[in-house]
Amino acid sequence: MEYGKLYTILLSTVVSEKQSSVNQQIAKYILDNLSHPEEISVKNISANCHVGNATISRFCREIGLQDFFELKDLISDCKYQAEYHEAQDFRTRVRGYRDSIAVGVNMVMDSVKEQEILELCREIHDCKKVAVFGWLKSEAAAWVLQMELAALGKNVYTAISHRQQMEYLKQADEDDLIVILSYRGIYFEYFSDPELHNYMKKPRICFVTGSEEAVPAGADRILRFHSDFSQNSHPYQLLFFCNIISREYARLYRKN
């Protein structure tokens, strides 16, 4: 299951921007009209959100796109279909959802590697500047990891906003450790900046994913888990993986 770049960018904008801000209004208008793409034009956005053409162009750049033409291309390719159980009985459907989650969690349990987890815990502990990022559901796991590490005395940074994550990557240096949570391994596909590969050379990047595909060359450490990529398994696989990290961190560095 993939939400796609457009859903990811727009939803992260809606939840991270101030209520009723210009960017939030534009993002909400586009999301509300994705089923009628012909309604999404500069003229209609301007009229419904009470903004000028320059503001729309600035919105596109601020969410990481080149221009409105790239936005229109993403709208034309935007597809999402939810998975659901076909059984007629409600309890049967619920058990099906539960079983799917359990399958995903068990796949993580059977594939996670102790040495990789311990090495990451030590790196998180020793590094002064640590950030944890993901998109949408993956970011939910990042927030949980942030909270659990904070309770253990280790403060790490995270952000929902696509723009804020992108800016952090641009400004990171050799003292930064960035943990990327990416269910399908496509985190970096949501960036349009052609200089991305240069930004990745400076920080240490740990990539956590269920994908067996190759990841960008800038990743210094890759932690993989097995996944069937079902909608029901996400974000539970990453949540469980992050839970393992925080519990092992606690075991190593628990407060006396």
Side-chain angles (χ1 to χ4, degrees), residues 19-248:
Q19 185 70 20
S20 300
S21 69
V22 170
N23 280 359
Q24 189 190 65
Q25 289 182 54
I26 296 175
K28 287 178 67 176
Y29 176 82
I30 296 170
L31 283 168
D32 289 343
N33 288 279
L34 283 176
S35 58
H36 304 284
E38 68 280 358
E39 295 292 325
I40 306 174
S41 64
V42 170
K43 179 180 178 181
N44 286 342
I45 294 175
S46 179
N48 284 274
C49 300
H50 310 290
V51 297
N53 292 3
T55 300
I56 297 171
S57 295
R58 184 166 58 251
F59 165 80
C60 293
R61 293 193 299 272
E62 288 184 353
I63 64 173
L65 304 181
Q66 298 295 324
D67 48 37
F68 189 75
F69 295 107
E70 183 179 3
L71 175 63
K72 288 293 288 184
D73 286 341
L74 291 175
I75 291 171
S76 64
D77 292 336
C78 189
K79 297 177 182 178
Y80 174 74
Q81 185 173 355
E83 295 176 3
Y84 55 89
H85 204 287
E86 295 285 357
Q88 295 297 313
D89 178 66
F90 175 70
R91 292 299 170 192
T92 300
R93 295 197 300 272
V94 171
R95 282 195 295 271
Y97 303 144
R98 178 206 61 190
D99 292 345
S100 182
I101 293 170
V103 167
V105 168
N106 286 336
M107 291 177 79
V108 173
M109 180 182 67
D110 293 338
S111 58
V112 66
K113 295 178 176 61
E114 178 184 11
Q115 191 58 37
E116 291 181 348
I117 295 292
L118 296 180
E119 288 176 359
L120 177 58
C121 286
R122 294 188 182 101
E123 196 165 8
I124 290 173
H125 179 267
D126 295 342
C127 188
K128 292 183 178 180
K129 294 193 296 180
V130 182
V132 186
F133 294 139
W135 298 133
L136 299 181
K137 291 183 178 181
S138 298
E139 178 59 24
W143 276 98
V144 170
L145 183 57
Q146 181 196 43
M147 289 185 288
E148 294 195 339
L149 288 175
L152 295 168
K154 181 64 182 185
N155 290 313
V156 305
Y157 175 77
T158 193
I160 296 175
S161 166
H162 177 272
R163 179 176 59 179
Q164 289 175 329
Q165 292 190 27
M166 182 168 56
E167 288 302 317
Y168 191 98
L169 277 166
K170 288 181 179 181
Q171 297 172 16
D173 56 30
E174 293 81 359
D175 294 327
D176 285 276
L177 168 64
I178 302 176
V179 180
I180 302 294
L181 306 178
S182 184
Y183 187 49
R184 286 184 171 270
I186 58 175
Y187 177 89
F188 291 109
E189 292 182 14
Y190 293 163
F191 290 94
S192 301
D193 196 323
E195 294 297 313
L196 176 63
H197 66 284
N198 290 326
Y199 307 142
M200 292 174 62
K201 292 178 181 178
K202 295 181 180 179
R204 286 169 286 167
I205 294 179
C206 174
F207 204 81
V208 178
T209 182
S211 173
E212 295 295 330
E213 300 295 326
V215 298
D220 301 285
R221 186 194 301 272
I222 305 171
L223 277 66
R224 301 184 191 271
F225 55 87
H226 295 160
S227 178
D228 58 5
F229 298 122
S230 72
Q231 285 188 17
N232 291 333
S233 292
H234 189 41
Y236 299 104
Q237 285 193 303
L238 282 172
L239 284 167
F240 183 47
F241 199 100
C242 288
N243 187 267
I244 294 170
I245 293 172
S246 63
R247 296 300 178 269
E248 290 300 296

